[in-house]
Amino acid sequence: MPPIDLEAVNELLIGGELIRKEAALAPDKPGVYRMIGTDSEVLYVGKAKSLKKRILQYAQGRFHSNRIARMVSLTREMVLVRTETEGEALLLEARLIKSLKPRYNVLLRDDKSFAEILVRKDHEAPQITKHRGSHSIKGEYYGPFASTQAVNRTLDTLQRAFLLRTCTDSVYASRTRPCMLHQIKRCSAPCTGEISLEAYGELVKQAQTFLNGKSRAVIEDLSARMMRASEDMEFERAAHLRDRMRALNHVVMSSSVGLNEAEADVFAVHAEGGYACVQSVFYRAGQNWGDRAYFPRVDISDSEGDILDAFLGQFYQDKPVPKLVLVSHGLSEPDLMMEALSLKAERKVQITCPQRGEKLDVVQHALNNAKAALGRRMAEQSAQSKLLQGVAEIFGLETPPTRIEIYDNSHLGGTHAVGGMVVAGPEGFMKGQYRKFTIRDLDTVAGDDYAMMREVFRRRFLRLKNRAADASEDEGFGRPDLVLVDGGQGQLDAVLGVMDELGMSDIKIVGVAKGPNRDAGMERFFMPGRLPFMMEPKSPVLYYLQRLRDEAHRYAIGANRQKRAAAMTKNPLDEIDGIGARRKRALLQAFGSAREVGEARVEDLMKIEGINAAMAQKIYDYFHG
């Protein structure tokens, strides 16, 4: 009897039959399962205390919603992954949901990185600065701050209270006299020795004590030092300590919320009509460090507890977990969630749904904000859907676009040329999918807008073509329904040529040219096979398209300014191998600027401490080619 071809059998099994076969083979152990449909689309990711028992529930055919029944009917394959504990399964489930974005899972969207405060420890005089992204720099990180305003406000306070430097290492190394921040008592100027490194280190420790939630201890210490200075008749020093103490008192009094815990996160959810809002509030150091509203993708059958279950697992995948998490609704498995978060944080984490007291007041306030935010969101989406329907009618699209890409270029006299891609959809601007393109084709003539646009389109859509199987919108390179190009017939012809070369001429592309004297409302629109046309000056759709065009313009100009600013602060000495901060500082103190260093003779360079004959010759050769 020939062996059974299991792959051939699996091809014949779909839906419930396939799941029953998988249930028979599944282990009675914790793990994660993936339900996969046609074209390898991941439909759903779930976790289970027992994979066998959980999968059997699907195989029995008794579903609590039509949505689950539909998901089962579409299943063509299942992938099972065993874990040691159910807590590990929960963490793996959240990680897979975040990366795969299955159609039938509650999905956290708009998950941008939060701003943090970083006290760097890779320098003799630690810098305090705002930080986003991975913790790749050696130092202490404090956050999250839900808004830029919150982190800027706290940084401003720390500057005034602790006089910590915020300048970059290159600026620090090049200083020969204190900067303006020292003059206005916002920095203690360790760069020029106005304060010893030991005394500066004490200021850093005080700032960290404050950020760790011990603000009262820091304020009491400053108060005692102020009184001693006053008793010693050092009135100027006493006034300086008083101003520092006032700065700390101001931030403590203005942001304190009465929670006894030094750190806590609050999550309140409100669901209505198949939409949901999760309002998050972050408390650190006994202070409110801001809030943010999230609008996860949910189903009308999902309860508030189910939404919070899925949300928390995904939210804390790449964020620090506090000691206390307050929620507005009870979780389905709170002990399991606490086990998973404690495993990630490597310490005990408590999750509480408060019923009385100050914690309930904080959660109720967040819940009221969630209700208000969801109401605004639903109203905005209703108006947005009408605008997208109008866009489809004007440009001849069969359905309202779900992804619009807008392109613009920016340069200054042909230098620091950059292209910008802005993305918009039914929920507004999708800022996490914006992309910058540094113009790097050496054959492009400086300021040639057509050539720059061709390069941007070739790079962007070649990537889409080469990765057609897995290029997802979440990576910022999904397939657009409509493309808008800032410019007229010339720019349109340039990009159409690129699209023809790539075999992607089926994507709808429109050129948007500014009106005479750049008058808003007088824009002309260019499309292949159609005469240029204008819209009614007061048309809401025209206003919407102007907003898209202006956002692309703003984004491209911002990218160009960033490149110019980086070029202005770049010091030629940084390019010389062997020139570190100490040698660089000695050279600048001796000669005044990098230009003067470049004009110096080898003999003069050798007179500088730390510069031997070989290094002096290397510096000279660098500037003289």
Side-chain angles (χ1 to χ4, degrees):
M1 182 176 179
I4 298 174
D5 187 346
L6 292 179
E7 291 186 3
V9 172
N10 280 341
E11 288 180 2
L12 300 175
L13 298 177
I14 63 173
E17 294 180 2
L18 171 69
I19 293 174
R20 276 189 288 274
K21 183 189 79 68
E22 292 289 350
L25 303 174
D28 188 17
K29 299 290 183 180
V32 174
Y33 59 92
R34 277 175 280 171
M35 305 174 77
I36 301 173
T38 56
D39 299 327
S40 299
E41 177 193 7
V42 179
L43 302 172
Y44 185 79
V45 174
K47 58 102 177 87
K49 185 176 183 179
S50 167
L51 287 169
K52 179 181 285 292
K53 293 176 182 177
R54 184 70 185 95
I55 295 173
L56 275 173
Q57 292 176 359
Y58 289 112
Q60 290 170 357
R62 295 192 295 270
F63 310 117
H64 68 275
S65 71
N66 291 332
R67 171 170 162 266
I68 300 300
R70 174 67 175 164
M71 179 183 73
V72 169
S73 70
L74 294 174
T75 301
R76 299 294 181 271
E77 182 185 355
M78 291 196 73
V79 176
L80 311 182
V81 178
R82 267 192 58 183
T83 59
E84 291 299 321
T85 66
E86 196 178 0
E88 291 179 2
L90 179 59
L91 293 177
L92 177 58
E93 176 201 37
R95 188 160 61 247
L96 289 174
I97 291 173
K98 196 164 187 175
S99 61
L100 299 175
K101 297 179 170 49
R103 189 200 311 181
Y104 287 93
N105 281 97
V106 173
L107 182 62
L108 170 59
R109 296 183 291 193
D110 305 322
D111 187 23
K112 305 180 185 70
S113 62
F114 286 99
E116 297 175 291
I117 286 177
L118 167 61
V119 180
R120 298 185 62 167
K121 292 299 181 67
D122 55 355
H123 194 277
E124 60 183 7
Q127 172 201 25
I128 186 168
T129 184
K130 180 168 58 178
H131 177 81
R132 285 184 187 271
S134 61
H135 293 184
S136 57
I137 302 174
K138 182 181 179 182
E140 300 292 333
Y141 295 82
Y142 300 91
F145 290 84
S147 65
T148 303
Q149 292 85 351
V151 71
N152 287 342
R153 184 171 60 247
T154 304
L155 271 176
D156 180 73
T157 298
L158 294 174
Q159 269 190 288
R160 287 186 284 127
F162 302 109
L163 312 178
L164 303 185
R165 75 176 183 99
T166 57
C167 60
T168 62
D169 292 350
S170 60
V171 171
Y172 178 94
S174 64
R175 294 303 306 179
T176 57
R177 61 177 185 270
C179 67
M180 181 64 71
L181 287 176
H182 176 71
Q183 307 299 329
I184 62 175
K185 295 182 171 55
R186 301 287 291 274
C187 179
S188 53
C191 54
T192 56
E194 307 301 316
I195 184 175
S196 68
L197 292 177
E198 292 76 16
Y200 183 80
E202 286 300 316
L203 292 177
V204 174
K205 290 180 181 178
Q206 291 178 17
Q208 291 184 281
T209 300
F210 176 79
L211 288 170
N212 283 323
K214 301 176 182 178
S215 55
R216 186 50 53 191
V218 176
I219 292 173
E220 289 175 356
D221 177 63
L222 288 174
S223 177
R225 291 164 58 192
M226 180 186 71
M227 295 301 296
R228 286 197 299 270
S230 179
E231 291 170 357
D232 294 341
M233 312 290 276
E234 299 178 8
F235 298 118
E236 185 175 351
R237 182 167 175 267
H240 180 50
L241 290 168
R242 178 203 61 199
D243 293 340
R244 292 175 58 192
M245 189 172 63
R246 283 179 177 175
L248 293 182
N249 270 317
H250 174 74
V251 71
V252 170
M253 293 175 62
S254 63
S255 60
S256 178
V257 294
L259 284 177
N260 292 325
E261 286 73 17
E263 61 174 29
D265 287 350
V266 178
F267 298 96
V269 59
H270 178 69
E272 182 180 339
Y275 296 91
C277 173
V278 178
Q279 184 77 23
S280 58
V281 191
F282 309 106
Y283 298 109
R284 297 292 186 274
Q287 306 157 32
N288 185 331
W289 280 7
D291 57 84
R292 180 179 292 183
Y294 289 90
F295 302 92
R297 188 187 71 194
V298 301
D299 185 74
I300 195 169
S301 63
D302 292 321
S303 68
E304 281 86 352
D306 293 336
I307 294 170
L308 279 177
D309 269 328
F311 182 90
L312 291 178
Q314 296 174 56
F315 181 83
Y316 284 119
Q317 277 296 303
D318 55 357
K319 297 178 181 63
V321 186
K323 296 178 181 178
L324 176 65
V325 177
L326 302 177
V327 293
S328 61
H329 296 75
L331 306 182
S332 60
E333 296 176 296
D335 293 339
L336 176 59
M337 184 63 72
M338 282 190 283
E339 176 192 341
L341 295 184
S342 299
L343 185 66
K344 182 181 185 301
E346 299 181 345
R347 55 171 166 74
K348 185 177 180 180
V349 175
Q350 183 181 3
I351 300 177
T352 301
C353 182
Q355 302 301 314
R356 63 181 67 85
E358 61 186 16
K359 293 184 178 66
L360 177 60
D361 293 339
V362 169
V363 171
Q364 190 61 48
H365 181 68
L367 184 58
N368 292 336
N369 286 340
K371 292 177 181 178
L374 184 60
R376 291 192 300 270
R377 179 79 163 198
M378 293 173 72
E380 291 170 359
Q381 286 191 345
S382 177
Q384 187 85 350
S385 63
K386 293 180 181 178
L387 289 173
L388 293 176
Q389 181 62 46
V391 169
E393 293 172 359
I394 289 172
F395 295 134
L397 301 175
E398 295 182 0
T399 58
T402 59
R403 181 183 176 90
I404 304 175
E405 295 181 359
I406 312 96
Y407 292 84
D408 194 11
N409 296 327
S410 181
H411 61 88
L412 185 64
T415 63
H416 309 298
V418 64
M421 178 185 87
V422 166
V423 185
E427 297 180 1
F429 290 113
M430 302 154 72
K431 295 190 176 182
Q433 299 183 29
Y434 288 13
R435 292 294 181 270
K436 301 171 187 174
F437 298 85
T438 298
I439 304 301
R440 53 186 184 221
D441 190 340
L442 299 179
D443 294 331
T444 298
V445 178
D448 186 344
D449 193 55
Y450 298 161
M452 288 191 289
M453 195 66 78
R454 279 195 293 267
E455 180 181 340
V456 169
F457 267 67
R458 186 174 293 108
R459 286 163 55 188
R460 184 267 180 268
F461 287 99
L462 184 60
R463 176 168 181 174
L464 175 63
K465 181 178 180 180
N466 291 341
R467 302 187 60 195
D470 61 349
S472 67
E473 291 188 6
D474 304 290
E475 294 175 337
F477 288 96
R479 185 180 179 87
D481 302 305
L482 175 66
V483 173
L484 301 179
V485 179
D486 185 64
Q489 191 66 54
Q491 282 84 355
L492 179 64
D493 290 341
V495 300
L496 287 177
V498 173
M499 300 302 278
D500 286 339
E501 291 174 12
L502 298 176
M504 306 182 76
S505 55
D506 57 323
I507 295 178
K508 185 79 71 174
I509 301 179
V510 179
V512 184
K514 300 177 180 67
N517 301 320
R518 298 179 176 267
D519 288 341
M522 302 298 290
E523 288 84 355
R524 300 177 72 202
F525 296 87
F526 296 81
M527 297 178 65
R530 184 173 173 182
L531 292 174
F533 62 95
M534 299 174 64
M535 296 185 193
E536 182 68 30
K538 294 184 179 181
S539 165
V541 176
L542 177 58
Y543 288 146
Y544 174 66
L545 295 172
Q546 288 171 355
R547 283 178 51 216
L548 299 184
R549 188 268 320 278
D550 293 344
E551 174 69 0
H553 191 57
R554 179 202 65 80
Y555 183 66
I557 288 179
N560 175 257
R561 286 174 177 165
Q562 287 177 354
K563 287 189 172 296
R564 299 204 315 262
M568 289 173 64
T569 58
K570 190 174 182 180
N571 194 307
L573 296 177
D574 295 328
E575 302 295 319
I576 304 176
D577 185 35
I579 298 294
R582 193 178 299 277
R583 283 174 171 169
K584 177 182 173 182
R585 182 177 179 179
L587 287 166
L588 292 174
Q589 285 180 336
F591 295 101
S593 69
R595 173 180 287 183
E596 297 296 328
V597 173
E599 294 176 357
R601 299 176 303 168
V602 173
E603 295 80 2
D604 296 328
L605 293 171
M606 290 173 57
K607 296 176 182 178
I608 307 303
E609 182 182 357
I611 306 296
N612 57 25
M615 180 57 67
Q617 188 64 51
K618 182 184 290 188
I619 297 171
Y620 183 86
D621 292 343
Y622 174 83
F623 285 102
H624 294 82

